[in-house]
Amino acid sequence: MNVSIRKALLGSATAVLTAALLAGCAGKSEPENPGTPPRVRVITTEQYLNTIANVFGSSVDMDIKFPPLRRTDGLLSNGAALAGVTSGKIETFQRAASSIAGQVVAPERRNYLIPCTPASETQADPECAKQFFSQTGRLLHRRTLSEEELGHYVTAANEAADKLKDFYAGIELVLEAMLISPEVLFIVESTEGDADDEGRRRLDSYSLASRLSFFLWNAGPDDMVLKAAENGDLESERGLKRVVDAMIASPRLEAGMRAFFDDMLGFDDFDALSKDPTVYPFFTGATATDAREQTLRTIIDHLIVKQADYRDLYVTRETFMSPALAPLYQIPASRGWTEYEFAEDSPRQGLLTQISFVALRSHPGRSSPTLRGKALRERLLCQVVPPPPPNVDFGKLENPDAHYKTQRERVAVHLEDPACAGCHKITDPMGLALENFDGAGRFRTTENGATIDTSGELDGVHFDNAVGLGKALRDNPSLPSCLVDRLYSYGSGGAAKPTDRSLLKYYTAEFAESGYKLPDLLRTIALSDAFQHVTPAKKTGPSKAHAPTEEIVIDEQLPTTTTVEADGPAESQQTVASNVGPGQKN
């Protein structure tokens, strides 16, 4: 049998089989699943900024960038559970806390950020301090403060105010300490026994509130969600559904999903993106910023505003346009951001043809079918492309006498080397379909005078150009299942386990049943039994097999040095620098 025909049949058979399996899962009850390990995660830059904005408003200036996380199993957010915190990182946290606290008590802001006025600005006011810290502490700690905790904060603020003869200086010092406390910088999940299922453990109400909020909003829980936790509403199916529905209907969902897709698509690579200005003079810093924004606007509009089929993102002609992008798209510039729809016969259809994909997955001075194909496999289909072997011979590619006219001719050299051919066979056939777009994303039909051949193949499905690639990707069963995998990992705080396969199939089947609508998928995951339950904490001490991630040093003069064990028991992780008292400054 012809090899290409055999591949096509196998690809079609796989798609049909997968669809049949998903159809069999649709409408069934959620499979049994032990849940996730209790997590301890360091808060990300965006989560911190979003939380501060929700507590103090957008008037507080926060030009803050925490150290980057390590991408794990496709997501930066997964690296938050594995991140150590060094003294250098603590200094970054403290600078941010000092800036925020100073702005909160500044004369131009204190009247509306502090809910009371002290009897005298030159001395302590216990009642006003208590009112401020009970409200602010609850939102920053993501739970109600105990009377003892609140008393410590108020006492420290009173002592500082009396010593400095300034009520607001006392508030500032203690607020700064609160902002760098472990319970603010770390998302620590606590558990309790499940009254309805003896022997199982579930997240307590406050931990579930935080997990839901960071999942859907990428920020700590607001007053509505915390009240639900305090009242026990999250412990009932009806109460939980009411809260989740309200969170999905909230405008904050947009920020949450922007953060997720920015992570999933690897848009942090934009921070280091550069193009050769002699080759691509139209590509500027503003172009890169707007290319990222264009795709995120397209995603939010398609999935949240219109609640359309997720798969259609890869064939849609609807997007948004800015003046900085217009020259590369070769269309008239507009004023500001405007809605834009490409013509029906346009080669610009779907996210793969947007500048954010074709320019980001290219070299500084030329396009790259391999980088584009690799990104498609890894970001959108959740498949791992192995790194190149260490002994790759680039001599043929770098030979100045070779005179390769097109990228198709260049990458064909890889197929001649058995060490390279295996990986390039699974990346290049898709990437070559995008060769009508150069390294900056501009459309072209020729390269070095030669007509570009954009035919390709994805898992047995053949196509002639980028539009055909988008359609093949749209119909690939791994596309929606990959989104499900990434969303569950993102929401639960860590990569899915092999034992989660039946659960992920259930989520995917429900996703298909809903017409591949994102809000319905978010609701399915958030309301699922697995999302609320945790596996029993392992009672093990530090050893080679269970080594701590990294030492945390908060202040050499304070007895606060301890360790964080990634994905370890919440009980042990809760002790991270737990004796840092209110009012103590580094």
Side-chain angles (χ1 to χ4, degrees):
M1 180 182 293
N2 181 280
V3 175
S4 62
I5 296 177
R6 183 172 182 272
K7 284 185 177 180
L9 290 174
L10 285 173
S12 300
T14 301
V16 171
L17 179 59
T18 303
L21 289 172
L22 293 179
C25 295
K28 290 187 176 181
S29 59
E30 179 185 344
E32 290 187 8
N33 186 279
T36 65
R39 312 280 192 194
V40 174
R41 296 177 281 164
V42 65
I43 197 167
T44 68
T45 301
E46 279 201 0
Q47 289 169 348
Y48 189 85
L49 295 179
N50 289 344
T51 299
I52 295 301
N54 291 344
V55 176
F56 299 117
S58 58
S59 67
V60 175
D61 180 33
M62 298 175 290
D63 186 13
I64 302 165
K65 187 73 173 177
F66 293 163
L69 299 171
R70 185 182 69 195
R71 187 169 291 277
T72 306
D73 290 295
L75 294 174
L76 283 174
S77 61
N78 286 344
L82 306 173
V85 180
T86 63
S87 57
K89 292 179 181 179
I90 288 296
E91 289 177 6
T92 303
F93 294 147
Q94 185 169 9
R95 284 195 298 270
S98 178
S99 172
I100 293 166
Q103 293 180 68
V104 169
V105 302
E108 66 271 19
R109 294 188 180 91
R110 63 179 57 159
N111 289 337
Y112 61 88
L113 292 182
I114 297 178
C116 53
T117 302
S120 171
E121 292 188 7
T122 60
Q123 61 186 31
D125 186 329
E127 287 304 314
C128 188
K130 182 177 182 180
Q131 186 177 349
F132 173 75
F133 286 115
S134 64
Q135 294 179 16
T136 302
R138 173 173 172 265
L139 293 173
L140 291 175
H141 285 73
R142 303 178 285 276
R143 61 174 176 79
T144 301
L145 298 179
S146 68
E147 287 297 322
E148 182 180 4
E149 290 172 315
L150 184 57
H152 281 314
Y153 284 121
V154 172
T155 299
N158 291 341
E159 292 175 352
D162 288 337
K163 185 175 182 180
L164 299 172
K165 306 299 181 184
D166 188 334
F167 169 80
Y168 291 106
I171 294 291
E172 179 181 357
L173 288 174
V174 177
L175 177 58
E176 180 181 339
M178 180 182 287
L179 288 167
I180 61 170
S181 67
E183 289 202 352
V184 173
L185 296 180
F186 290 90
I187 304 167
V188 183
E189 295 184 338
S190 301
T191 69
E192 62 187 11
D194 188 342
D196 298 326
D197 193 347
E198 187 176 353
R200 293 191 72 190
R201 298 194 67 79
R202 66 184 181 191
L203 296 173
D204 67 22
S205 290
Y206 286 119
S207 293
L208 180 56
S210 289
R211 180 177 279 198
L212 287 169
S213 190
F214 284 111
F215 173 38
L216 298 173
W217 291 348
N218 201 39
D222 67 358
D223 180 67
M224 181 270 292
V225 180
L226 285 175
K227 280 183 179 177
E230 292 160 358
N231 298 335
D233 293 346
L234 300 184
E235 297 175 11
S236 71
E237 183 177 342
R238 183 178 179 180
L240 179 62
K241 185 178 184 303
R242 179 183 60 80
V243 172
V244 169
D245 285 344
M247 295 180 76
I248 291 175
S250 168
R252 291 181 180 177
L253 182 67
E254 178 178 330
M257 291 303 98
R258 282 175 66 96
F260 166 72
F261 281 102
D262 194 87
D263 190 352
M264 174 182 161
L265 295 174
F267 278 179
D268 53 297
D269 290 340
F270 269 107
D271 297 337
L273 180 65
S274 64
K275 296 296 177 183
D276 187 335
T278 62
V279 180
Y280 304 122
F282 289 107
F283 198 97
T284 65
T287 306
T289 299
D290 284 7
R292 185 179 192 168
E293 177 65 18
Q294 178 191 40
T295 296
L296 294 175
R297 284 183 181 232
T298 303
I299 290 172
I300 295 302
D301 180 67
H302 184 87
L303 298 180
I304 304 298
V305 177
K306 297 174 180 173
Q307 298 195 24
D309 189 318
Y310 165 69
R311 302 169 301 166
D312 289 343
L313 270 175
Y314 302 94
V315 295
T316 184
R317 292 180 284 111
E318 298 177 356
T319 185
F320 295 84
M321 197 62 62
S322 76
L325 294 176
L328 285 171
Y329 281 106
Q330 299 162 294
I331 63 174
S334 59
R335 284 191 175 184
W337 284 99
T338 57
E339 294 182 6
Y340 189 85
E341 183 173 1
F342 290 102
E344 190 173 348
D345 60 349
S346 171
R348 300 279 189 182
Q349 297 188 26
L351 297 189
L352 296 183
T353 65
Q354 292 190 354
I355 290 173
S356 65
F357 188 84
V358 289
L360 186 60
R361 308 307 169 190
S362 293
H363 296 297
R366 58 182 171 85
S367 62
S368 175
T370 302
L371 291 179
R372 292 169 177 176
K374 184 174 186 290
L376 188 154
R377 288 282 185 191
E378 295 188 337
R379 307 290 183 198
L380 304 177
L381 300 179
C382 293
Q383 298 167 0
V384 178
V385 178
N391 58 342
V392 174
D393 179 13
F394 290 100
K396 291 184 179 180
L397 282 175
E398 297 171 353
N399 181 4
D401 298 324
H403 301 300
Y404 301 114
K405 287 189 174 183
T406 66
Q407 284 289 67
R408 184 177 288 272
E409 293 177 5
R410 288 177 61 87
V411 299
V413 176
H414 290 300
L415 302 179
E416 299 174 4
D417 186 345
C420 303
C423 293
H424 281 274
K425 285 181 179 178
I426 62 173
T427 59
D428 296 353
M430 300 96 68
L432 287 169
L434 296 168
E435 273 303 292
N436 275 149
F437 306 102
D438 66 17
R442 280 174 69 97
F443 182 77
R444 61 184 179 176
T445 57
T446 63
E447 183 180 8
N448 296 321
T451 301
I452 297 174
D453 177 5
T454 56
S455 61
E457 171 261 331
L458 171 61
D459 296 344
V461 179
H462 292 260
F463 38 80
D464 296 325
N465 49 36
V467 174
L469 170 62
K471 292 177 179 177
L473 179 62
R474 185 233 182 250
D475 296 333
N476 192 302
S478 294
L479 181 71
S481 62
C482 179
L483 178 69
V484 168
D485 181 281
R486 294 288 190 251
L487 267 175
Y488 179 65
S489 297
Y490 183 83
S492 62
K497 309 179 299 296
T499 53
D500 294 328
R501 288 175 182 171
S502 60
L503 176 68
L504 296 177
K505 286 183 179 179
Y506 163 75
Y507 288 152
T508 304
E510 293 294 304
F511 190 28
E513 187 75 9
S514 73
Y516 297 101
K517 294 181 179 179
L518 179 64
D520 290 334
L521 174 59
L522 295 174
R523 186 177 293 103
T524 297
I525 294 174
L527 294 176
S528 67
D529 186 73
F531 192 79
Q532 305 165 47
H533 283 82
V534 294
T535 55
K538 296 179 181 179
K539 302 295 184 180
T540 58
S543 65
K544 289 185 178 179
H546 190 71
T549 302
E550 187 173 351
E551 189 174 73
I552 298 177
V553 180
I554 294 192
D555 193 320
E556 295 178 356
Q557 297 178 353
L558 297 174
T560 58
T561 301
T562 185
T563 58
V564 173
E565 297 174 351
D567 286 347
E571 291 86 345
S572 65
Q573 294 159 336
Q574 191 92 34
T575 65
V576 179
S578 58
N579 54 343
V580 177
Q584 295 173 320
K585 279 179 63 71
N586 294 355

